[in-house]
Amino acid sequence: MGGVTTVGDRADRAERVPKQDRSRATRQRLLEAAVACLAEHGWAGSTVSVVAERAGVSRGAAQHHFPTREDLFTAAVEYVAEERSTALRALFPQGAAGDRREVVSALVDLYTGPLFRAALHLWVAASNEDQLRTRVTELEARVGRETHRIAVDLLGADESRPGVRETVQGLLDMARGLGLANLLTDDAARRDRVVTQWAVLLEEALG
């Protein structure tokens, strides 16, 4: 009868909700495991089986969520990139920060963690695989635009002024370079000096 909810209907709904929750939790574990594997073992050592084992799920469950290896790893890097963007914004909930050095330091941190290491491995793999290259290029373009927008907002930069957009882009390029250097050695002391100098330059350039 229309509009009547039976005990069976309620039981079905109660069963579906936990299944949905478990599915989301499984997907998130797979994404986090994929990024960790990529950062630690590189592309060659990060198979779907390895990721599934690390996530504590079966290979079949992994392929249910991500049919191909490319699906899994591009989704993983995208997921963590979005998480890092959210975390960066959360550092300065009021928007533009009063201390630009803090912003520069936070932006540099984006490129010295496991996300950047994982993304770098993905870029190297993409340079040799046509299908992966297209997807990674699209992803990086989107993540790059979002990072640029965050930087502009947090720095209180007025991009209508000549040279300001290029200055912000130069900051991000510098941060990426520091991230590359950090892959080989821990140069925290030098990085700290560079961050301080860039903050001074930004004050002069952005006003």
mmCIF file of all heavy atoms in Angstrom, residues 132-175:
data_model
loop_
_atom_site.group_PDB
_atom_site.id
_atom_site.type_symbol
_atom_site.label_atom_id
_atom_site.label_comp_id
_atom_site.label_asym_id
_atom_site.label_seq_id
_atom_site.Cartn_x
_atom_site.Cartn_y
_atom_site.Cartn_z
ATOM 1 N N LEU A 132 48.002 7.139 -18.775
ATOM 2 C CA LEU A 132 48.193 7.754 -17.470
ATOM 3 C C LEU A 132 48.581 9.216 -17.611
ATOM 4 O O LEU A 132 48.154 10.066 -16.812
ATOM 5 C CB LEU A 132 49.268 6.993 -16.701
ATOM 6 C CG LEU A 132 49.441 7.336 -15.215
ATOM 7 C CD1 LEU A 132 48.158 7.074 -14.449
ATOM 8 C CD2 LEU A 132 50.593 6.523 -14.634
ATOM 9 N N ARG A 133 49.360 9.546 -18.642
ATOM 10 C CA ARG A 133 49.825 10.917 -18.823
ATOM 11 C C ARG A 133 48.653 11.889 -18.953
ATOM 12 O O ARG A 133 48.637 12.960 -18.334
ATOM 13 C CB ARG A 133 50.723 11.030 -20.046
ATOM 14 C CG ARG A 133 51.295 12.454 -20.233
ATOM 15 C CD ARG A 133 52.019 12.608 -21.542
ATOM 16 N NE ARG A 133 53.099 11.643 -21.685
ATOM 17 C CZ ARG A 133 53.172 10.721 -22.634
ATOM 18 N NH1 ARG A 133 52.211 10.645 -23.549
ATOM 19 N NH2 ARG A 133 54.184 9.886 -22.688
ATOM 20 N N THR A 134 47.652 11.518 -19.744
ATOM 21 C CA THR A 134 46.505 12.408 -19.951
ATOM 22 C C THR A 134 45.785 12.678 -18.641
ATOM 23 O O THR A 134 45.450 13.828 -18.326
ATOM 24 C CB THR A 134 45.520 11.779 -20.955
ATOM 25 O OG1 THR A 134 46.192 11.605 -22.211
ATOM 26 C CG2 THR A 134 44.311 12.665 -21.155
ATOM 27 N N ARG A 135 45.575 11.629 -17.862
ATOM 28 C CA ARG A 135 44.826 11.789 -16.621
ATOM 29 C C ARG A 135 45.617 12.576 -15.590
ATOM 30 O O ARG A 135 45.066 13.427 -14.891
ATOM 31 C CB ARG A 135 44.445 10.416 -16.082
ATOM 32 C CG ARG A 135 43.612 9.616 -17.061
ATOM 33 C CD ARG A 135 43.173 8.298 -16.506
ATOM 34 N NE ARG A 135 42.209 8.479 -15.424
ATOM 35 C CZ ARG A 135 41.568 7.472 -14.841
ATOM 36 N NH1 ARG A 135 41.816 6.236 -15.222
ATOM 37 N NH2 ARG A 135 40.715 7.696 -13.883
ATOM 38 N N VAL A 136 46.909 12.305 -15.490
ATOM 39 C CA VAL A 136 47.727 13.004 -14.512
ATOM 40 C C VAL A 136 47.885 14.475 -14.901
ATOM 41 O O VAL A 136 47.860 15.363 -14.038
ATOM 42 C CB VAL A 136 49.102 12.318 -14.368
ATOM 43 C CG1 VAL A 136 50.054 13.174 -13.527
ATOM 44 C CG2 VAL A 136 48.931 10.947 -13.739
ATOM 45 N N THR A 137 48.025 14.755 -16.186
ATOM 46 C CA THR A 137 48.142 16.141 -16.644
ATOM 47 C C THR A 137 46.894 16.937 -16.286
ATOM 48 O O THR A 137 46.974 18.076 -15.797
ATOM 49 C CB THR A 137 48.374 16.186 -18.162
ATOM 50 O OG1 THR A 137 49.591 15.494 -18.480
ATOM 51 C CG2 THR A 137 48.481 17.624 -18.649
ATOM 52 N N GLU A 138 45.734 16.349 -16.510
ATOM 53 C CA GLU A 138 44.480 17.021 -16.166
ATOM 54 C C GLU A 138 44.373 17.250 -14.670
ATOM 55 O O GLU A 138 43.966 18.327 -14.212
ATOM 56 C CB GLU A 138 43.291 16.190 -16.658
ATOM 57 C CG GLU A 138 43.172 16.115 -18.170
ATOM 58 C CD GLU A 138 42.111 15.126 -18.621
ATOM 59 O OE1 GLU A 138 41.576 14.394 -17.748
ATOM 60 O OE2 GLU A 138 41.815 15.076 -19.833
ATOM 61 N N LEU A 139 44.742 16.240 -13.899
ATOM 62 C CA LEU A 139 44.687 16.350 -12.446
ATOM 63 C C LEU A 139 45.619 17.440 -11.944
ATOM 64 O O LEU A 139 45.234 18.289 -11.130
ATOM 65 C CB LEU A 139 45.068 15.007 -11.809
ATOM 66 C CG LEU A 139 45.301 15.011 -10.296
ATOM 67 C CD1 LEU A 139 44.036 15.418 -9.562
ATOM 68 C CD2 LEU A 139 45.775 13.645 -9.832
ATOM 69 N N GLU A 140 46.856 17.439 -12.433
ATOM 70 C CA GLU A 140 47.830 18.423 -11.968
ATOM 71 C C GLU A 140 47.415 19.844 -12.333
ATOM 72 O O GLU A 140 47.654 20.780 -11.568
ATOM 73 C CB GLU A 140 49.206 18.096 -12.547
ATOM 74 C CG GLU A 140 49.867 16.920 -11.880
ATOM 75 C CD GLU A 140 50.018 17.117 -10.379
ATOM 76 O OE1 GLU A 140 50.409 18.220 -9.939
ATOM 77 O OE2 GLU A 140 49.716 16.172 -9.640
ATOM 78 N N ALA A 141 46.791 20.006 -13.489
ATOM 79 C CA ALA A 141 46.325 21.335 -13.886
ATOM 80 C C ALA A 141 45.262 21.834 -12.908
ATOM 81 O O ALA A 141 45.279 23.000 -12.485
ATOM 82 C CB ALA A 141 45.772 21.295 -15.306
ATOM 83 N N ARG A 142 44.355 20.951 -12.527
ATOM 84 C CA ARG A 142 43.289 21.348 -11.602
ATOM 85 C C ARG A 142 43.831 21.625 -10.212
ATOM 86 O O ARG A 142 43.484 22.627 -9.581
ATOM 87 C CB ARG A 142 42.213 20.259 -11.539
ATOM 88 C CG ARG A 142 41.004 20.666 -10.721
ATOM 89 C CD ARG A 142 39.848 19.717 -10.954
ATOM 90 N NE ARG A 142 40.134 18.382 -10.460
ATOM 91 C CZ ARG A 142 40.090 18.043 -9.168
ATOM 92 N NH1 ARG A 142 39.799 18.953 -8.250
ATOM 93 N NH2 ARG A 142 40.335 16.805 -8.793
ATOM 94 N N VAL A 143 44.707 20.734 -9.733
ATOM 95 C CA VAL A 143 45.303 20.935 -8.415
ATOM 96 C C VAL A 143 46.144 22.216 -8.402
ATOM 97 O O VAL A 143 46.128 22.973 -7.428
ATOM 98 C CB VAL A 143 46.168 19.726 -8.020
ATOM 99 C CG1 VAL A 143 46.965 20.006 -6.755
ATOM 100 C CG2 VAL A 143 45.283 18.497 -7.814
ATOM 101 N N GLY A 144 46.855 22.464 -9.498
ATOM 102 C CA GLY A 144 47.662 23.670 -9.585
ATOM 103 C C GLY A 144 46.824 24.935 -9.517
ATOM 104 O O GLY A 144 47.192 25.905 -8.847
ATOM 105 N N ARG A 145 45.689 24.919 -10.221
ATOM 106 C CA ARG A 145 44.797 26.100 -10.182
ATOM 107 C C ARG A 145 44.260 26.325 -8.775
ATOM 108 O O ARG A 145 44.180 27.463 -8.306
ATOM 109 C CB ARG A 145 43.648 25.915 -11.174
ATOM 110 C CG ARG A 145 44.058 26.031 -12.633
ATOM 111 C CD ARG A 145 42.839 26.148 -13.533
ATOM 112 N NE ARG A 145 42.003 24.956 -13.472
ATOM 113 C CZ ARG A 145 42.142 23.898 -14.285
ATOM 114 N NH1 ARG A 145 43.104 23.890 -15.200
ATOM 115 N NH2 ARG A 145 41.342 22.857 -14.189
ATOM 116 N N GLU A 146 43.894 25.242 -8.106
ATOM 117 C CA GLU A 146 43.359 25.366 -6.750
ATOM 118 C C GLU A 146 44.415 25.878 -5.781
ATOM 119 O O GLU A 146 44.146 26.754 -4.954
ATOM 120 C CB GLU A 146 42.833 24.001 -6.280
ATOM 121 C CG GLU A 146 42.382 23.965 -4.827
ATOM 122 C CD GLU A 146 41.195 24.860 -4.522
ATOM 123 O OE1 GLU A 146 40.574 25.372 -5.473
ATOM 124 O OE2 GLU A 146 40.886 25.039 -3.330
ATOM 125 N N THR A 147 45.633 25.371 -5.898
ATOM 126 C CA THR A 147 46.715 25.833 -5.028
ATOM 127 C C THR A 147 47.001 27.307 -5.262
ATOM 128 O O THR A 147 47.235 28.066 -4.312
ATOM 129 C CB THR A 147 47.991 25.005 -5.261
ATOM 130 O OG1 THR A 147 47.693 23.615 -5.071
ATOM 131 C CG2 THR A 147 49.084 25.407 -4.293
ATOM 132 N N HIS A 148 46.960 27.713 -6.532
ATOM 133 C CA HIS A 148 47.195 29.121 -6.850
ATOM 134 C C HIS A 148 46.110 30.000 -6.229
ATOM 135 O O HIS A 148 46.404 31.057 -5.645
ATOM 136 C CB HIS A 148 47.231 29.318 -8.372
ATOM 137 C CG HIS A 148 47.640 30.698 -8.779
ATOM 138 N ND1 HIS A 148 48.928 31.030 -9.089
ATOM 139 C CD2 HIS A 148 46.912 31.846 -8.908
ATOM 140 C CE1 HIS A 148 48.997 32.316 -9.399
ATOM 141 N NE2 HIS A 148 47.781 32.826 -9.301
ATOM 142 N N ARG A 149 44.859 29.566 -6.332
ATOM 143 C CA ARG A 149 43.761 30.347 -5.740
ATOM 144 C C ARG A 149 43.922 30.461 -4.230
ATOM 145 O O ARG A 149 43.705 31.536 -3.647
ATOM 146 C CB ARG A 149 42.413 29.703 -6.067
ATOM 147 C CG ARG A 149 41.931 29.935 -7.493
ATOM 148 C CD ARG A 149 40.457 29.611 -7.632
ATOM 149 N NE ARG A 149 40.183 28.208 -7.351
ATOM 150 C CZ ARG A 149 40.179 27.256 -8.270
ATOM 151 N NH1 ARG A 149 40.479 27.551 -9.527
ATOM 152 N NH2 ARG A 149 39.904 26.006 -7.942
ATOM 153 N N ILE A 150 44.309 29.359 -3.595
ATOM 154 C CA ILE A 150 44.515 29.385 -2.144
ATOM 155 C C ILE A 150 45.626 30.376 -1.790
ATOM 156 O O ILE A 150 45.493 31.172 -0.857
ATOM 157 C CB ILE A 150 44.876 27.978 -1.627
ATOM 158 C CG1 ILE A 150 43.658 27.055 -1.729
ATOM 159 C CG2 ILE A 150 45.364 28.032 -0.176
ATOM 160 C CD1 ILE A 150 43.951 25.605 -1.397
ATOM 161 N N ALA A 151 46.718 30.318 -2.535
ATOM 162 C CA ALA A 151 47.839 31.212 -2.264
ATOM 163 C C ALA A 151 47.431 32.672 -2.408
ATOM 164 O O ALA A 151 47.763 33.511 -1.561
ATOM 165 C CB ALA A 151 48.998 30.890 -3.209
ATOM 166 N N VAL A 152 46.702 32.987 -3.460
ATOM 167 C CA VAL A 152 46.249 34.365 -3.688
ATOM 168 C C VAL A 152 45.372 34.830 -2.527
ATOM 169 O O VAL A 152 45.531 35.940 -2.001
ATOM 170 C CB VAL A 152 45.488 34.470 -5.023
ATOM 171 C CG1 VAL A 152 44.772 35.818 -5.138
ATOM 172 C CG2 VAL A 152 46.453 34.293 -6.190
ATOM 173 N N ASP A 153 44.442 33.980 -2.121
ATOM 174 C CA ASP A 153 43.532 34.346 -1.025
ATOM 175 C C ASP A 153 44.289 34.567 0.279
ATOM 176 O O ASP A 153 44.071 35.554 0.982
ATOM 177 C CB ASP A 153 42.482 33.248 -0.821
ATOM 178 C CG ASP A 153 41.481 33.180 -1.967
ATOM 179 O OD1 ASP A 153 41.433 34.141 -2.762
ATOM 180 O OD2 ASP A 153 40.769 32.168 -2.066
ATOM 181 N N LEU A 154 45.157 33.627 0.616
ATOM 182 C CA LEU A 154 45.851 33.698 1.897
ATOM 183 C C LEU A 154 46.861 34.840 1.960
ATOM 184 O O LEU A 154 47.097 35.410 3.029
ATOM 185 C CB LEU A 154 46.555 32.366 2.186
ATOM 186 C CG LEU A 154 45.637 31.159 2.414
ATOM 187 C CD1 LEU A 154 46.472 29.914 2.681
ATOM 188 C CD2 LEU A 154 44.673 31.404 3.567
ATOM 189 N N LEU A 155 47.445 35.168 0.825
ATOM 190 C CA LEU A 155 48.420 36.259 0.790
ATOM 191 C C LEU A 155 47.757 37.625 0.658
ATOM 192 O O LEU A 155 48.416 38.654 0.794
ATOM 193 C CB LEU A 155 49.392 36.052 -0.371
ATOM 194 C CG LEU A 155 50.360 34.880 -0.239
ATOM 195 C CD1 LEU A 155 51.036 34.593 -1.572
ATOM 196 C CD2 LEU A 155 51.400 35.143 0.852
ATOM 197 N N GLY A 156 46.451 37.619 0.384
ATOM 198 C CA GLY A 156 45.768 38.889 0.152
ATOM 199 C C GLY A 156 46.321 39.597 -1.066
ATOM 200 O O GLY A 156 46.458 40.825 -1.081
ATOM 201 N N ALA A 157 46.652 38.827 -2.100
ATOM 202 C CA ALA A 157 47.287 39.384 -3.300
ATOM 203 C C ALA A 157 46.244 39.940 -4.263
ATOM 204 O O ALA A 157 45.202 39.331 -4.480
ATOM 205 C CB ALA A 157 48.114 38.312 -3.996
ATOM 206 N N ASP A 158 46.535 41.088 -4.835
ATOM 207 C CA ASP A 158 45.660 41.724 -5.821
ATOM 208 C C ASP A 158 46.223 41.440 -7.212
ATOM 209 O O ASP A 158 47.144 42.115 -7.674
ATOM 210 C CB ASP A 158 45.588 43.225 -5.558
ATOM 211 C CG ASP A 158 44.713 43.956 -6.572
ATOM 212 O OD1 ASP A 158 44.082 43.282 -7.426
ATOM 213 O OD2 ASP A 158 44.673 45.200 -6.523
ATOM 214 N N GLU A 159 45.652 40.453 -7.889
ATOM 215 C CA GLU A 159 46.197 40.049 -9.183
ATOM 216 C C GLU A 159 45.864 41.010 -10.317
ATOM 217 O O GLU A 159 46.311 40.792 -11.445
ATOM 218 C CB GLU A 159 45.712 38.638 -9.540
ATOM 219 C CG GLU A 159 46.366 37.563 -8.685
ATOM 220 C CD GLU A 159 46.189 36.174 -9.271
ATOM 221 O OE1 GLU A 159 45.029 35.754 -9.489
ATOM 222 O OE2 GLU A 159 47.207 35.508 -9.514
ATOM 223 N N SER A 160 45.097 42.052 -10.021
ATOM 224 C CA SER A 160 44.863 43.061 -11.055
ATOM 225 C C SER A 160 46.091 43.958 -11.222
ATOM 226 O O SER A 160 46.217 44.669 -12.224
ATOM 227 C CB SER A 160 43.639 43.918 -10.705
ATOM 228 O OG SER A 160 43.885 44.721 -9.552
ATOM 229 N N ARG A 161 46.986 43.916 -10.266
ATOM 230 C CA ARG A 161 48.218 44.702 -10.351
ATOM 231 C C ARG A 161 49.250 43.963 -11.195
ATOM 232 O O ARG A 161 49.393 42.742 -11.084
ATOM 233 C CB ARG A 161 48.783 44.964 -8.951
ATOM 234 C CG ARG A 161 47.905 45.829 -8.085
ATOM 235 C CD ARG A 161 48.463 45.909 -6.679
ATOM 236 N NE ARG A 161 49.877 46.296 -6.687
ATOM 237 C CZ ARG A 161 50.689 46.108 -5.652
ATOM 238 N NH1 ARG A 161 50.248 45.526 -4.550
ATOM 239 N NH2 ARG A 161 51.954 46.499 -5.725
ATOM 240 N N PRO A 162 49.959 44.677 -12.051
ATOM 241 C CA PRO A 162 50.964 44.030 -12.911
ATOM 242 C C PRO A 162 52.013 43.278 -12.102
ATOM 243 O O PRO A 162 52.541 43.792 -11.117
ATOM 244 C CB PRO A 162 51.591 45.222 -13.657
ATOM 245 C CG PRO A 162 50.555 46.292 -13.614
ATOM 246 C CD PRO A 162 49.854 46.123 -12.301
ATOM 247 N N GLY A 163 52.297 42.065 -12.531
ATOM 248 C CA GLY A 163 53.359 41.281 -11.927
ATOM 249 C C GLY A 163 52.968 40.463 -10.711
ATOM 250 O O GLY A 163 53.719 39.581 -10.295
ATOM 251 N N VAL A 164 51.783 40.731 -10.133
ATOM 252 C CA VAL A 164 51.407 40.026 -8.902
ATOM 253 C C VAL A 164 51.140 38.549 -9.176
ATOM 254 O O VAL A 164 51.577 37.676 -8.429
ATOM 255 C CB VAL A 164 50.181 40.695 -8.240
ATOM 256 C CG1 VAL A 164 49.607 39.798 -7.134
ATOM 257 C CG2 VAL A 164 50.572 42.049 -7.667
ATOM 258 N N ARG A 165 50.417 38.256 -10.262
ATOM 259 C CA ARG A 165 50.135 36.857 -10.574
ATOM 260 C C ARG A 165 51.434 36.076 -10.769
ATOM 261 O O ARG A 165 51.578 34.950 -10.271
ATOM 262 C CB ARG A 165 49.270 36.751 -11.837
ATOM 263 C CG ARG A 165 48.971 35.311 -12.242
ATOM 264 C CD ARG A 165 48.041 35.227 -13.439
ATOM 265 N NE ARG A 165 47.797 33.839 -13.794
ATOM 266 C CZ ARG A 165 46.960 33.023 -13.181
ATOM 267 N NH1 ARG A 165 46.271 33.460 -12.130
ATOM 268 N NH2 ARG A 165 46.794 31.777 -13.560
ATOM 269 N N GLU A 166 52.384 36.677 -11.483
ATOM 270 C CA GLU A 166 53.652 36.002 -11.740
ATOM 271 C C GLU A 166 54.453 35.818 -10.438
ATOM 272 O O GLU A 166 55.169 34.833 -10.268
ATOM 273 C CB GLU A 166 54.474 36.789 -12.754
ATOM 274 C CG GLU A 166 53.918 36.766 -14.175
ATOM 275 C CD GLU A 166 52.686 37.660 -14.342
ATOM 276 O OE1 GLU A 166 52.447 38.529 -13.472
ATOM 277 O OE2 GLU A 166 51.972 37.499 -15.344
ATOM 278 N N THR A 167 54.309 36.776 -9.520
ATOM 279 C CA THR A 167 54.996 36.670 -8.236
ATOM 280 C C THR A 167 54.462 35.486 -7.433
ATOM 281 O O THR A 167 55.235 34.724 -6.847
ATOM 282 C CB THR A 167 54.830 37.966 -7.424
ATOM 283 O OG1 THR A 167 55.419 39.054 -8.142
ATOM 284 C CG2 THR A 167 55.488 37.847 -6.055
ATOM 285 N N VAL A 168 53.139 35.331 -7.414
ATOM 286 C CA VAL A 168 52.536 34.204 -6.699
ATOM 287 C C VAL A 168 52.945 32.888 -7.357
ATOM 288 O O VAL A 168 53.279 31.908 -6.678
ATOM 289 C CB VAL A 168 51.002 34.333 -6.653
ATOM 290 C CG1 VAL A 168 50.370 33.082 -6.041
ATOM 291 C CG2 VAL A 168 50.598 35.574 -5.859
ATOM 292 N N GLN A 169 52.945 32.869 -8.700
ATOM 293 C CA GLN A 169 53.353 31.655 -9.398
ATOM 294 C C GLN A 169 54.816 31.328 -9.116
ATOM 295 O O GLN A 169 55.193 30.165 -8.944
ATOM 296 C CB GLN A 169 53.141 31.812 -10.908
ATOM 297 C CG GLN A 169 53.321 30.511 -11.679
ATOM 298 C CD GLN A 169 52.376 29.428 -11.201
ATOM 299 O OE1 GLN A 169 51.162 29.608 -11.248
ATOM 300 N NE2 GLN A 169 52.910 28.310 -10.729
ATOM 301 N N GLY A 170 55.641 32.363 -9.052
ATOM 302 C CA GLY A 170 57.049 32.152 -8.722
ATOM 303 C C GLY A 170 57.222 31.566 -7.327
ATOM 304 O O GLY A 170 58.089 30.710 -7.106
ATOM 305 N N LEU A 171 56.386 32.018 -6.393
ATOM 306 C CA LEU A 171 56.417 31.461 -5.044
ATOM 307 C C LEU A 171 56.116 29.964 -5.064
ATOM 308 O O LEU A 171 56.817 29.166 -4.419
ATOM 309 C CB LEU A 171 55.394 32.183 -4.168
ATOM 310 C CG LEU A 171 55.048 31.528 -2.832
ATOM 311 C CD1 LEU A 171 56.266 31.461 -1.923
ATOM 312 C CD2 LEU A 171 53.899 32.277 -2.147
ATOM 313 N N LEU A 172 55.101 29.572 -5.809
ATOM 314 C CA LEU A 172 54.730 28.157 -5.882
ATOM 315 C C LEU A 172 55.808 27.335 -6.593
ATOM 316 O O LEU A 172 56.075 26.195 -6.212
ATOM 317 C CB LEU A 172 53.384 28.005 -6.576
ATOM 318 C CG LEU A 172 52.200 28.644 -5.830
ATOM 319 C CD1 LEU A 172 50.919 28.502 -6.637
ATOM 320 C CD2 LEU A 172 52.029 28.037 -4.449
ATOM 321 N N ASP A 173 56.421 27.920 -7.627
ATOM 322 C CA ASP A 173 57.510 27.228 -8.306
ATOM 323 C C ASP A 173 58.688 27.035 -7.356
ATOM 324 O O ASP A 173 59.344 25.981 -7.356
ATOM 325 C CB ASP A 173 57.966 28.015 -9.536
ATOM 326 C CG ASP A 173 56.940 27.969 -10.666
ATOM 327 O OD1 ASP A 173 56.067 27.078 -10.634
ATOM 328 O OD2 ASP A 173 57.012 28.821 -11.563
ATOM 329 N N MET A 174 58.961 28.065 -6.542
ATOM 330 C CA MET A 174 60.031 27.959 -5.551
ATOM 331 C C MET A 174 59.714 26.858 -4.544
ATOM 332 O O MET A 174 60.577 26.037 -4.193
ATOM 333 C CB MET A 174 60.197 29.303 -4.833
ATOM 334 C CG MET A 174 61.249 29.325 -3.735
ATOM 335 S SD MET A 174 60.663 28.722 -2.101
ATOM 336 C CE MET A 174 59.384 29.928 -1.719
ATOM 337 N N ALA A 175 58.459 26.812 -4.088
ATOM 338 C CA ALA A 175 58.055 25.805 -3.109
ATOM 339 C C ALA A 175 58.220 24.399 -3.688
ATOM 340 O O ALA A 175 58.669 23.472 -2.997
ATOM 341 C CB ALA A 175 56.610 26.042 -2.683
#
